[in-house]
Amino acid sequence: MSTTANNSTVAQAPNIVFILADDLGWADLSVYGQADFTTPHLDALAGEGVRFTQAYANSAVCSATRFALITGRYQYRLRGGLEEPLVRKAHVHGLPPEHPTLPSLLRDAGYDTALIGKWHLGSLPTFGPLKSGYDRFFGNYGGAIDYFTHKPGVGDAVARDLYEGEVPVERVGYYTQLLADEATQWIGERSAAKPFFLSLHFTAPHWPWVGPEDEEISLGLKDLFHYDGGNLATYARMVRSLDKAVGQVLDALKAQGLADNTIVVFTSDNGGERFSKTWPFTGQKTELLEGGIRVPTLLRWPVRIAPQVSEQVTATMDWLPTLLAAAGVAPSADYPPDGENILPVLESHAPAYPRTLFWRYKSQRQRAVREGRYKYLRINDNEFLFDVEDDTLERANLRDKHPEVFERLRAAWEQWNAQFLPITDEVITHGLSPDIQADRYVPDLAERGM
């Protein structure tokens, strides 16, 4: 693949394939440090494009990050974005259909749009992909389903969470592969005459811990939640299956002659969980330590961007302004992005520019600010200042050594937080669910001196 193209090719609006993994840890790809197994297709994607070293998820859990991705804004601007994750009130709080989104803005500019995979931004009949900019949807509305039964729970009385548009459907097969097959077919139906935007949102490697050869294990599960079953070998099979699925989709682009002018992005919705590798960071999903929010991120666009390793600090909400800029589409003036367009830095190989990013989680039990090399972190009543460039494990508290930095970042968080919807007791009650509860993780943090 070349990094240049003739003027007619460059002038064409790029296709976009946005691939989102679920709960993939920072070092779960071999190109990011996984040594127990390999991910050759994603490693190749990294070698052909941009590998980010300082990319963050907007939240430490999935649905909140997905609000930021689709709107380009901090999720705390929307009531549904406060749930973290959106579980018990998905029929009440979701992505408002009238809100401009990345797919709706591209669709209005002439793109074919599709979401294949996980939605998790509110349930029918009020919310859904077809109401928020996607022309086609195949996948699950909720947060997690079994890979073989395609149900969000165990038992014959539990309905499948698998839909074609807004109609329930049945399929046979391992879910990661089903999504790859659907995406491959959809790409095969495209032509160079009209650009397309494909959101391919896998549930892998989110629990339940079931690999592609584990159908009998799947049918025997008593609990789909993350503490039931699993081991490192099973997790490896899940990630390798994800890697294979991505390779299949990339091959489909090549077969259609669309690879050079297609932007491919691969990232995760938050940090890893039970079996993930997050070295050299600590922390995991639901925590604002680096392991809970720093995510592997790759981008390839051969006609415009040369292969490189980028140290640019970026967040999930940056993808809307960045991809719209690549497509020549303006964001909504009524809903300006909080994210930033990072395309100029990637195209010019310019040095990374400074960013300040903010997080909060679960009734402000956790809060964080990243500014330059420093990170302010609060967990319960414990406050820290870390140099996350030199101290990636977040062990040395520098609050007394650099009190001016500590106080500045603490004040900056308060000022930032005042702009957004508050996390009330009612939000906390709705946000708690059987699968994710902040209280489960507090002892882990306490054991680390947090």
Side-chain angles (χ1 to χ4, degrees), residues 188-207:
E189 297 167 353
R190 311 273 69 79
S191 72
K194 187 177 182 182
F196 63 82
F197 172 60
L198 170 62
S199 296
L200 177 55
H201 294 182
F202 290 98
T203 58
H206 194 292
W207 49 261

Side-chain angles (χ1 to χ4, degrees), residues 26-239:
W26 168 258
D28 280 340
L29 307 183
S30 42
V31 72
Y32 277 93
Q34 178 59 259
D36 296 329
F37 56 87
T38 60
T39 52
H41 301 289
L42 286 162
D43 294 352
L45 181 65
E48 295 166 353
V50 183
R51 178 170 64 85
F52 291 87
T53 62
Q54 300 198 78
Y56 287 92
N58 257 68
S59 175
V61 290
C62 52
S63 54
T65 293
R66 291 162 200 270
F67 275 99
L69 169 62
I70 203 167
T71 66
R73 314 178 93 206
Y74 277 112
Q75 61 272 24
Y76 317 110
R77 295 190 183 279
L78 293 170
R79 176 63 181 81
L82 304 185
E83 293 292 325
E84 297 188 312
L86 186 62
V87 179
R88 293 186 176 179
K89 288 291 182 177
H91 62 294
V92 177
H93 305 298
L95 177 63
E98 67 274 12
H99 196 298
T101 64
L102 178 56
S104 73
L105 292 166
L106 290 171
R107 179 199 60 195
D108 293 347
Y111 273 68
D112 284 337
T113 60
L115 169 60
I116 296 176
K118 178 175 174 177
W119 167 246
H120 208 195
L121 292 172
S123 60
L124 294 172
T126 307
F127 311 105
L130 301 186
K131 304 177 192 299
S132 290
Y134 290 107
D135 298 317
R136 196 232 166 170
F137 170 62
F138 172 84
N140 58 303
Y141 277 86
I145 60 174
D146 179 79
Y147 286 86
F148 286 99
T149 68
H150 313 137
K151 295 180 177 183
V154 175
D156 294 337
V158 179
R160 289 179 178 83
D161 182 10
L162 188 60
Y163 286 77
E164 178 75 52
E166 298 183 353
V167 179
V169 294
E170 293 188 17
R171 295 285 192 277
V172 176
Y174 188 69
Y175 195 42
T176 302
Q177 187 59 50
L178 287 180
L179 296 180
D181 291 344
E182 290 285 337
T184 300
Q185 179 179 345
W186 192 80
I187 290 172
E189 297 167 353
R190 311 273 69 79
S191 72
K194 187 177 182 182
F196 63 82
F197 172 60
L198 170 62
S199 296
L200 177 55
H201 294 182
F202 290 98
T203 58
H206 194 292
W207 49 261
W209 312 115
V210 176
E213 300 88 22
D214 297 335
E215 185 169 5
E216 291 185 3
I217 295 176
S218 175
L219 296 175
L221 284 176
K222 297 180 181 179
D223 181 359
L224 291 192
F225 300 145
H226 46 163
Y227 290 121
D228 187 27
N231 53 47
L232 290 172
T234 298
Y235 187 76
R237 292 195 296 272
M238 295 173 72
V239 177

Side-chain angles (χ1 to χ4, degrees), residues 8 81 196 230 312:
S8 61
F196 63 82
Q312 179 59 54

